Amino acid sequence: MTPKFTVLRVALDTPLRRLFDYLPPVERAAGELRAGMRVRVPFGRRRLVGVVMAAADTSQVAPERLKPILDVLDAQPLLDPAALALIEWAADYYHHPIGEVVATALPRALRLGAPIAAFEERWRASAAGAAAHAAGELRRAPKQRALLEFLLETGGAPAASLEAQLHPWRDAARALAARGLIASVEVPRERAAAPNTATRAASEAPVLLPEQREAVERVSAAFGSFGAFLLHGVTGSGKTEVYLKLVERVIGQGRGALVLVPEIGLTPQLVGRFRERLAVPMAVLHSGLTEQERLAAWRDAFSGHARIVLGTRSAVFAPVPQPGIIIVDEEHDGSFKQHEGALRYSARDLALVRAQRAGVPVALGSATPSLETLHNADAGRYTRLRLPRRAAHEAQPPSLKLVDLRTAPVHSGISTPAVAAIARHLAADGQVMVFLNRRGYAPTLLCTACGWIAPCRECDARLTVHLAAGRLRCHHCGADAAVPARCPQCGFNVKPVGQGTERIHETLGTLFRGVGLARLDRDVVRRRGDVEQVLERVSSGAARILVGTQMVTKGHDFPNVTLVVVLNADQGLFSTDFRAPERLAQTIVQVAGRAGRGARPGEVLIQTEFPEHPLLASLLTGGYDGFARAALQERRQAAWPPFTRLAAVRASAKTREGALRFLTDSRASAGTPPRAVRLLGPVPAAMAKRAGRYHAQLLIESRERAALRRFLGTWLPAVAALRTARQVRWALDVDPLELF
Ligand code: ADP
Ligand code: ZN
């Protein structure tokens, strides 16, 4: 019998849209190799780490040109079949080279070949150590003696327990190890015998409200099979409690949970709530981790030691052995979409695919669901679950009012009615949140004589004044310069015009002397822990007015905030981006949700120059639901998503012509597109020049998802082969969130 010819198809991190065939490693049976394992292979003159995607018994490469795999890095697949299916889906849907999708999915350390097995540092005493102790040495070194004694008594201990019991112990350990009295080894960590029920939890779950119970039961009924749920609940309605209960149940069945949250929503408070309620190890993944921490979290998740993976966007690729549920909190949040770099994916959409491939339910939660998700619920693809009221106390929904900036007097960006309302709420012992989506002191530096405005040289944008720092900064490219004392054009005086959070903070300080103020935006948050410090000042009551950007809208629960002031709602009303109204409505509703979380009712004031704008009207009369109905209607009429499918080819070049030429060539290479597909553009981006490069885009629109996919699949290789493609940076963005 001739042995069967086997090749392994390997995904490698290259821009080529294909897999690469290799022979099994010398002296190893092909059967030992399974899809999902990492291998090291020769690739030209280099050696690369790749992932086996499949085995096959034919190859288009001539047998004598096939090379064997050099090394197998994993004893068991790093990526399970559901993860591989997810990666294949993403490569196909986003029309992206599969090797680069794999590279996006894996932490860098694993891409470079680090072992996935979780190792643990263990210390033990040597025979010499025992003898030294018996002889009564080390009397002068109490720390060392204590450590040695501990290791003798316990028969050895992991570094984690030493840290817990003897901190600080590292110096003592080094001294003892240098004398050969103790030693450390790295041993594979045993899979923790994790408790099946989260018994010893530190905090008790509240008794769920009937609608919370109903939500839990409906999702639980789908355990073991795919089902998509929209948990649409107003801010403070107890969605997180529903997640906690669902995760607890899943863990009770010996399964794991994947919980995705927006970058800005992954607060210590949220992590703390999970930790306190569910006494099981958890892996937390976010963009602020070092490579070592990220690897450690992946190892914890992979080994099954961590039963819950809680993370931001890229955690959608994290290993969860035996998953039982996937949860996406704040599913409308833009940070789930990777909108830069090579692979532009939506973690929310991938979570759905992953749940489907793994055969588990997925729950999408939001107070302000995206119009896509609402449309899917309307169409019956998702089961809609509602939490219509706030859970805690008698918390009432806040009342929304508009302040007409055309008639109300305004000083330094704050209208008289808003000042009066702030005074009233402070007098009644409430706290106030002031929201402005613009950081810095002022968005413009103006010469009062000649009209000169400080421009960014690299962008079609003005420089923002940061007064305390004495700098002019570009919020698009990071350009940074000193604030000039005089106009560089005519030598006359310059002055900051307009409002940013820094200036509003200053204004409020003079209006409300003696009242504690806090500010929260990216300028005051420099280090880890800064956010917590600001929030702590608010929850302790030391600060009674909080001024901030988008950062104030998420994840904090201040029962004493009774008034929210939205200083400028108008930026989102007249944008060229068809999604801008949706984002504005979401922001207003989210920030409004910060008011009246406690027993006292909340009030929300929205300053606007366009009080009759239909968007604001629908929001005021019909709430987010009313707005969403109107907005979906508009999208249907204008044939925008979710009623059509969009993709964008985005390009940037050193000249405007360069970017446009490539897109024009791209369009030409499509010939006459199929009937269901339309090409729109190319057009320069709304802000064409950014960071010294000119940006432009070409939109591809279709009523049919399949037609769009087919078209992109045949067209993109032609685009990539264009001569002008090499003179630009370009990327495909399927389901783009921001059109600029
Ligand atoms: P969401 O995630 O929808 O914003 P949370 O789950 O954070 O809501 O709940 C808001 C507040 O209400 C929290 O302080 C939470 O502890 C409390 N809460 C939630 N459910 C209940 C309940 N059934 N009984 C009492 N308090 C609850
Ligand atoms: Zn700039």
Side-chain angles (χ1 to χ4, degrees), residues 356-676:
Q356 200 179 38
R357 297 298 186 270
V360 302
V362 56
L364 309 179
S366 179
T368 53
S370 63
L371 296 183
E372 273 79 4
T373 295
L374 287 174
H375 181 61
N376 278 324
D378 290 344
R381 284 187 286 271
Y382 302 169
T383 304
R384 193 194 297 261
L385 304 167
R386 296 212 67 143
L387 304 180
R389 56 177 165 150
R390 294 186 169 195
H393 316 291
E394 297 296 299
Q396 296 293 311
S399 68
L400 267 62
K401 283 185 214 119
L402 300 181
V403 177
D404 187 345
L405 289 178
R406 296 167 310 179
T407 53
V410 183
H411 297 290
S412 306
I414 312 177
S415 65
T416 314
V419 173
I422 295 172
R424 188 155 36 81
H425 281 261
L426 291 176
D429 242 7
Q431 285 176 305
V432 177
M433 217 174 241
V434 178
F435 170 77
L436 175 63
N437 215 357
R438 195 192 279 142
R439 65 195 169 85
Y441 189 80
T444 306
L445 185 71
L446 176 77
C447 169
T448 47
C450 75
W452 173 84
I453 283 172
C456 176
R457 271 182 240 285
E458 303 296 317
C459 305
D460 290 335
R462 296 166 178 188
L463 294 173
T464 300
V465 184
H466 290 256
L467 201 65
R471 310 297 294 178
L472 288 173
R473 292 193 184 124
C474 174
H475 288 185
H476 304 281
C477 74
D480 179 301
V483 177
R486 320 211 137 259
C487 172
Q489 203 162 272
C490 73
F492 201 72
N493 291 340
V494 288
K495 70 167 192 185
V497 176
Q499 318 295 327
T501 44
E502 184 186 347
R503 189 174 211 171
I504 293 295
H505 184 261
E506 179 189 277
T507 304
L508 289 167
T510 54
L511 283 172
F512 299 99
R513 285 193 193 284
V515 174
L517 289 182
R519 187 175 125 211
L520 189 59
D521 56 38
R522 266 204 288 133
D523 296 320
V524 291
V525 174
R526 298 241 156 257
R527 282 180 304 261
R528 257 189 194 184
D530 284 354
V531 179
E532 288 68 53
Q533 226 168 22
V534 173
L535 297 180
E536 169 54 31
R537 289 194 54 225
V538 180
S539 33
S540 71
R544 300 187 55 210
I545 305 179
L546 174 63
V547 184
T549 56
Q550 206 77 12
M551 291 187 88
V552 305
T553 64
K554 306 275 165 70
H556 327 300
D557 196 359
F558 301 123
N560 220 22
V561 170
T562 52
L563 173 67
V564 169
V565 180
V566 178
L567 285 184
N568 186 352
D570 295 344
Q571 283 166 316
L573 291 177
F574 301 99
S575 168
T576 50
D577 185 344
F578 70 89
R579 273 186 233 269
E582 178 183 356
R583 277 196 293 272
L584 173 64
Q586 286 163 344
T587 302
I588 290 180
V589 173
Q590 295 279 346
V591 75
R594 301 296 124 200
R597 304 258 293 180
R600 287 184 284 170
E603 194 180 339
V604 179
L605 291 184
I606 303 165
Q607 299 192 153
T608 175
E609 298 208 24
F610 307 94
E612 280 105 37
H613 193 282
L615 158 64
L616 292 175
S618 65
L619 198 57
L620 247 65
T621 52
Y624 188 75
D625 287 347
F627 157 77
R629 259 194 312 278
L632 273 170
Q633 196 56 37
E634 257 180 39
R635 295 262 190 103
R636 184 194 293 277
Q637 277 158 9
W640 284 123
F643 300 97
T644 53
R645 300 275 160 183
L646 271 189
V649 175
R650 304 187 195 276
S652 74
K654 292 223 175 74
T655 64
R656 174 189 296 256
E657 294 67 38
L660 287 172
R661 198 178 319 118
F662 160 68
L663 292 175
T664 306
D665 289 354
S666 301
R667 182 169 182 150
S669 74
T672 313
R675 232 164 19 105

Side-chain angles (χ1 to χ4, degrees), residues 648-651 659-660 663 680-686 695-699 736 738-740:
V649 175
R650 304 187 195 276
L660 287 172
L663 292 175
L680 308 167
V683 289
H695 295 252
Q697 63 191 14
L698 173 62
L699 285 186
E738 289 183 29
L739 296 181
F740 44 77

Side-chain angles (χ1 to χ4, degrees), residues 75-113:
Q76 44 174 315
L78 175 66
L79 296 164
D80 65 18
L84 291 171
L86 180 70
I87 284 168
E88 274 164 2
W89 188 91
D92 189 49
Y93 186 77
Y94 295 114
H95 300 276
H96 204 75
I98 190 151
E100 288 189 5
V101 179
V102 170
T104 305
L106 297 179
R108 194 177 140 75
L110 292 173
R111 245 153 48 212
L112 295 176

Side-chain angles (χ1 to χ4, degrees), residues 687-718:
M687 184 189 290
K689 187 180 175 198
R690 260 174 298 139
R693 296 181 69 84
Y694 290 85
H695 295 252
Q697 63 191 14
L698 173 62
L699 285 186
I700 308 98
E701 182 222 66
S702 175
R703 287 193 177 266
E704 295 158 38
R705 182 199 276 242
L708 179 63
R709 232 188 69 201
R710 269 196 312 274
F711 169 71
L712 291 176
T714 50
W715 177 54
L716 279 176

Side-chain angles (χ1 to χ4, degrees), residues 206-209 212 233-243 273 277 329 387 391-393 557 594 597:
V207 178
L208 294 186
L209 297 168
Q212 286 175 309
V234 300
T235 321
S237 59
K239 294 184 292 298
T240 310
E241 289 299 333
V242 172
Y243 307 150
R273 249 170 111 180
R277 191 65 60 71
D329 187 28
L387 304 180
H393 316 291
D557 196 359
R594 301 296 124 200
R597 304 258 293 180

